[in-house]
Amino acid sequence: MSETSPSEADDAAAIERSRQHPEAFAEVFRRHAPELKRYVTRRLGRDAAEDVVAETFLAAFRQRDRYDLARRNARPWLYGIATNLIGRHVRDEVRHLRAVQRTGADPVTEPFTDRSDERVSAQAHGPRLAGALASLPKGHRDALLLVAWGGLTYPEAAHALNVRVGTVRSRINRARKKLRRELSEINPTMFLKEETVHG
């Protein structure tokens, strides 16, 4: 089980309070919306991301009475809802990844820092990576990107996808093998680290 930050540890308490005082749910939104928006933007582009994030929090708010308060960190739950909503936009996601493949324009970029050499390399190969990601089966892409871009642990990704941890491991392993085959001369894991995609 992963360590939780003090803010994550308060998610269940905020959700519980929101059952009597709905405005308390805003705490969960404030904690997780910016990060979730970056993740969805990477997958669908800016236009669809706004809608998906809004739908995610609306669905979460409506489902808050069923939330398992033993799970203090709501992040996997929220990413699971978002991933289900992204599933309704599979064609948009593939079209978005193909556009990144053609243009090289990534909707979420981080300013240059001390890791600029790695970032320049990632941007140079980004279009090929986007094309390779678009070719993955949806379940494999979901598992890989929840971990790589969403920053979830394997158990958190399993919770988000409502599958076993072994299924997540298997899907990610297969996805990485396929990416290595398609991107043989570059290391795709370099471009899938969460810290290289925040903006």
Side-chain angles (χ1 to χ4, degrees):
M1 187 167 176
S2 65
E3 293 287 319
T4 58
S5 73
S7 65
E8 290 171 334
D10 293 335
D11 287 344
I15 291 168
E16 185 174 29
R17 279 194 312 278
S18 78
R19 292 172 179 175
Q20 298 298 316
H21 305 283
E23 65 278 4
F25 198 80
E27 292 176 39
V28 177
F29 178 85
R30 278 193 298 274
R31 278 185 207 123
H32 298 289
E35 191 177 296
L36 187 65
K37 185 177 176 190
R38 278 192 294 272
Y39 171 73
V40 177
T41 300
R42 284 299 297 233
R43 295 200 59 179
L44 296 177
R46 290 188 196 282
D47 295 340
E50 292 281 345
D51 292 339
V52 169
V53 171
E55 289 175 45
T56 296
F57 281 97
L58 180 60
F61 181 78
R62 289 177 176 159
Q63 297 170 27
R64 72 192 189 283
D65 287 337
R66 296 190 307 255
Y67 183 77
D68 179 0
L69 297 174
R71 294 186 174 274
R72 299 185 70 184
N73 179 356
R75 215 164 143 243
W77 177 57
L78 295 168
Y79 276 75
I81 294 169
T83 299
N84 287 336
L85 292 169
I86 288 168
R88 297 180 190 168
H89 297 267
V90 171
R91 278 179 284 187
D92 293 337
E93 179 180 26
V94 171
R95 188 170 35 248
H96 171 71
L97 287 168
R98 295 290 184 208
V100 172
Q101 180 183 21
R102 281 191 312 278
T103 66
D106 191 333
V108 180
T109 56
E110 185 176 23
F112 287 95
T113 64
D114 55 351
R115 301 183 65 199
S116 60
D117 289 344
E118 184 175 313
R119 193 162 293 105
V120 168
S121 181
Q123 288 173 347
H125 295 292
R128 289 191 52 219
L129 176 64
L133 288 171
S135 71
L136 291 174
K138 182 188 176 313
H140 294 180
R141 188 168 56 241
D142 286 344
L144 180 69
L145 297 182
L146 280 169
V147 171
W149 288 353
L152 272 61
T153 64
Y154 281 36
E156 289 171 338
H159 176 67
L161 296 171
N162 198 27
V163 297
R164 295 178 183 201
V165 174
T167 302
V168 168
R169 289 186 194 287
S170 173
R171 288 177 182 177
I172 290 175
N173 187 39
R174 288 180 181 153
R176 285 187 170 147
K177 281 181 181 175
K178 183 169 183 180
L179 291 178
R180 281 189 195 102
R181 277 195 308 272
E182 292 190 24
L183 307 169
S184 57
E185 74 283 0
I186 58 175
N187 177 7
T189 59
M190 177 175 74
F191 313 120
L192 296 173
K193 293 177 185 169
E194 176 65 14
E195 60 267 29
T196 68
V197 298
H198 276 269

